[in-house]
Amino acid sequence: MPERYGPRVIEHLVNPRNAGEVAGPSGVGEAGNAACGDQVRFTLSLGEELRLEEVRYRAYGCAACIAAGSALAELVEGRTIVEAARVSRGELQEALGGPLPPGKEHGVTLALDALHRAFEDYWSRQGDALLAGDGFGDGSGGRRGVVAAMSGGVDSAVTALLLKERGYEVVAVTFRLHDGEPGSRSCCSPDTVLFARETAHQMGIPHFTLNLRELFDRRVMRDFVGSYAAGRTPNPCVACNAHVKFHAAAFLADRLGLRHVATGHYARVGEGPCLERPEDGRKDQTYVLWPVPRELLVRTIFPLGDYRKDEVRRMAEERGLAVARTPESQDICFIPDGDYRSFVRRRVRSEPGEIVDRRGRVLGRHAGVVNFTVGQRRGLGISASTPLYVTEVRPESRRVVVGSRRELEVREVLVRSANWFLDPREAALVQVRYNSEPVPCEVEENGDGWEVRLLEPVFGVAPGQSAVFYTRDGTKVVGGGIIARRDAA
C-alpha cells in the first residue's frame, strides 16, 4: 500500500525522473520479467570520457520497482561509467529515504541489475576486437589502476581488496562465460554474478560484467569437446587463460585507461617477465598459466602469490567479507556435476568400437572413444587377471588400446604451441599433469615443435595436456606447450 512507503519513494512515484527511452542507445539492459509483473529497463547514452550523458528507464509492476528505477536513473546520469558502476544498494536505498518495506527490497535489486546489464550490453558492442583475438594493448599509457577479475569466491575478492589497500584504482569485473544455472555454484550463474557485484560494492569498488559467451564457446568449449572426439585430453582452464580471461581483463583496462590486470591465481610475476611459484605451494597455479602472452603477463599482478590460503581466508574474515567461507570452486566451471563424459556425448557423435591390447587382440567393445582418456583404469567394461589402463585412444579406427601400468611409462613427448617466458635452454624440469611433480628433462627444437626427453619415466601422459617447463631450482616457469605425442619407454 502507498502509505507503507516513505516520502522520497512517493516523490519518485508522483514525479518520476528520467522516464522513457534513449534514442539510439549505447547500451540497453533489462531485469525481471513480464510474467511475474516486475520489470525494469534502462537505456543509456555515453559521451566523452565514458560519461553517461543520458539515462532513461521504464519500470513495470510494483511501486518499489518504479521508484528504484527513477532514483537510480537520477543518481547516475552525468557520472562516468566507472562512477556509476560503483553505486551500491546502500546508496540507492539512501536516495529512496532508506530501506524499502519488507518484501519490496527486490525493487532495488532489479533496478541495479538492469543498469548493469545496460553496461554489459555497452561493452559487448565494443567487443569485436576480443573475438578477433587482438583486443588488448600494452597498457603503457594507462594510469596506476587495475582491472581485477572477480569470480564470486574468496581469492578474487581478497585480490581486489589488497590492491585497493595498496593504493591502486581498482575496477572489478566478472565474466559471463556460459549459461550457468540460477542457484548453482558455477562462476557464471546469475546468483554468482550478483554476489560478486555485492562484494565489490561492499569494498567500495565499481563492478562490471562482461558477456564472453561467444568467445568462451569458440576458444574453450568447442576445443574441449573436439579434443575428446580426437582422442586428446584437454585442460579447459589452460585454454581459458590463454584466450579469454586475461585478454578480456586487458580489453576492459585499455578502455578505462588503466595499466594493469589482476586475478586471484596463486602465482607471482618475476623479471623477464616470467611466472614464479607462489608462497603457498599447495595452491600453486603456475601450471595453468603458462599460455598467458608475455605482453599481458608484464601487465599482470598476482597479489595472492605472497600469501597462504589460510591467510587469505583470515583477511576476508577480518574485513567482514561475506565470501570468507565460500567453498573451493569445482574443476570445470561449465560442468557443475563433474560428468564431463555426458557433457561431451551430448555434443558429439561417437561410434562404438573395440578395446584392444597393444598387439591388436580384441578384449571387448566400447560405446565411444569420448568415454576414455589415457591413464584411465575404471569404467573399461572388461575383466582381466591384472589391472588394465588406457594407454592410447585411436579415434580414426575407433579403438581404445589398454595395457599394464608399465605400458603407460613415457620417456619422450612432442610439445607444440609453445609459449616461452625465458630462454628454452633454461628448461631443466617439466611437469606434464596438474597434480604431478616436475621431472628432469632435456628440450630440443625441431621443425614440428619441441622434443622433450624425460630423464625419469612418467606414467599416464596424455596428448592434449600441458607440458610446463621450470628452471633447475623449480621456482620459475620457463614456458609451456601442448603435448601432441607421447613415446613409450
Side-chain angles (χ1 to χ4, degrees):
M1 297 186 305
E3 61 268 25
R4 296 172 59 198
Y5 294 108
R8 291 192 191 177
V9 172
I10 300 299
E11 170 63 20
H12 280 286
L13 294 174
V14 173
N15 184 24
R17 278 65 150 177
N18 295 38
E21 295 266 344
V22 173
S26 304
V28 178
E30 293 183 355
N33 61 75
C36 72
D38 293 329
Q39 188 172 20
V40 182
R41 172 184 171 91
F42 272 89
T43 54
L44 48 88
S45 175
L46 277 81
E48 294 183 3
E49 299 181 346
L50 295 180
R51 195 167 297 280
L52 301 180
E53 293 183 338
E54 192 176 5
V55 179
R56 294 290 180 266
Y57 85 100
R58 291 190 183 278
Y60 308 92
C62 71
C65 292
I66 297 171
S70 172
L72 185 56
E74 185 179 41
L75 266 177
V76 301
E77 188 171 66
R79 298 191 186 192
T80 67
I81 194 171
V82 171
E83 292 167 343
R86 188 182 285 111
V87 172
S88 65
R89 173 185 297 273
E91 189 175 350
L92 179 53
Q93 287 176 337
E94 184 179 348
L96 291 167
L100 292 171
K104 299 297 181 181
E105 303 93 336
H106 67 283
V108 168
T109 300
L110 289 181
L112 281 169
D113 198 35
L115 178 67
H116 278 266
R117 287 179 180 272
F119 296 155
E120 185 176 337
D121 181 51
Y122 169 75
W123 296 122
S124 293
R125 298 181 189 209
Q126 323 299 312
D128 288 346
L130 260 179
L131 292 174
D134 57 358
F136 63 92
D138 61 10
S140 58
R143 60 189 182 276
R144 191 177 187 270
V146 57
V147 167
M150 184 174 284
S151 65
V154 63
D155 291 334
S156 58
V158 171
T159 291
L161 181 65
L162 288 171
L163 291 166
K164 184 180 180 184
E165 292 179 349
R166 293 174 188 176
Y168 287 91
E169 176 187 351
V170 181
V171 174
V173 62
T174 299
F175 303 127
R176 207 184 296 276
L177 302 177
H178 52 84
D179 296 318
E181 292 296 324
S184 77
R185 282 182 53 202
S186 164
C187 64
C188 300
S189 72
D191 294 341
T192 300
V193 171
L194 290 173
F195 187 51
R197 185 188 306 151
E198 290 276 353
T199 302
H201 286 168
Q202 181 186 353
M203 296 185 288
I205 294 173
H207 179 274
F208 293 108
T209 304
L210 291 186
N211 187 340
L212 304 179
R213 287 187 181 97
E214 184 177 354
L215 180 63
F216 189 78
D217 179 67
R218 267 191 212 181
R219 305 307 297 271
V220 179
M221 293 183 73
R222 293 183 197 178
D223 174 73
F224 182 82
V225 172
S227 291
Y228 276 108
R232 300 189 300 272
T233 304
N235 189 321
C237 293
V238 168
C240 190
N241 290 329
H243 304 297
V244 181
K245 287 186 177 179
F246 285 83
H247 292 68
F251 160 86
L252 184 59
D254 289 341
R255 279 145 187 82
L256 297 177
L258 305 179
R259 187 180 311 159
H260 299 289
V261 299
T263 69
H265 288 100
Y266 286 80
R268 291 170 167 146
V269 178
E271 292 185 9
C274 70
L275 282 167
E276 294 183 354
R277 301 273 197 186
E279 170 68 23
D280 192 340
R282 295 171 302 174
K283 296 295 296 180
D284 180 13
Q285 292 172 298
T286 54
Y287 178 80
V288 297
L289 293 170
W290 68 263
V292 178
R294 284 173 56 97
E295 60 267 36
L296 278 182
L297 188 64
V298 76
R299 303 180 61 179
T300 300
I301 306 173
F302 296 122
L304 302 192
D306 297 327
Y307 298 92
R308 306 187 69 81
K309 180 73 178 196
D310 56 347
E311 295 177 295
V312 170
R313 288 203 182 276
R314 186 164 59 250
M315 283 188 283
E317 287 182 336
E318 290 171 351
R319 290 151 175 85
L321 298 182
V323 297
R325 288 297 159 189
T326 53
E328 297 292 297
S329 59
Q330 66 272 8
D331 289 336
I332 303 177
C333 66
F334 54 90
I335 309 178
D337 63 0
D339 189 356
Y340 74 87
R341 291 183 177 88
S342 293
F343 180 88
V344 174
R345 283 197 300 266
R346 290 194 298 269
R347 288 159 176 81
V348 64
R349 183 178 179 180
S350 186
E351 300 290 341
E354 297 172 334
I355 300 176
V356 302
D357 62 18
R358 67 187 304 178
R359 295 182 297 275
R361 185 166 59 97
V362 177
L363 304 179
R365 293 189 62 80
H366 63 79
V369 296
V370 298
N371 296 314
F372 300 92
T373 186
V374 171
Q376 179 179 333
R377 178 183 173 187
R378 299 180 183 276
L380 301 184
I382 55 176
S383 59
S385 57
T386 58
L388 293 177
Y389 302 81
V390 175
T391 61
E392 190 178 353
V393 179
R394 299 174 179 171
E396 66 283 350
S397 62
R398 303 200 302 274
R399 281 187 157 189
V400 174
V401 183
V402 298
S404 66
R405 188 174 188 276
R406 174 68 178 79
E407 290 174 271
L408 280 175
E409 186 175 307
V410 172
R411 288 282 189 172
E412 292 185 359
V413 295
L414 173 67
V415 173
R416 294 183 177 138
S417 304
N419 180 45
W420 298 104
F421 302 119
L422 303 175
D423 189 323
R425 289 173 294 184
E426 294 192 50
L429 301 170
V430 63
Q431 183 175 335
V432 294
R433 291 194 307 275
Y434 184 74
N435 291 317
S436 67
E437 290 295 321
V439 299
C441 70
E442 294 176 350
V443 180
E444 183 178 350
E445 186 176 13
N446 66 24
D448 201 26
W450 297 83
E451 293 285 353
V452 182
R453 187 161 70 93
L454 308 175
L455 303 185
E456 295 177 8
V458 177
F459 295 88
V461 178
Q465 288 284 286
S466 295
V468 182
F469 303 98
Y470 294 85
T471 51
R472 192 168 303 279
D473 62 5
T475 62
K476 296 181 179 180
V477 176
V478 181
I482 301 296
I483 297 170
R485 188 196 70 228
R486 50 184 289 278
D487 294 332

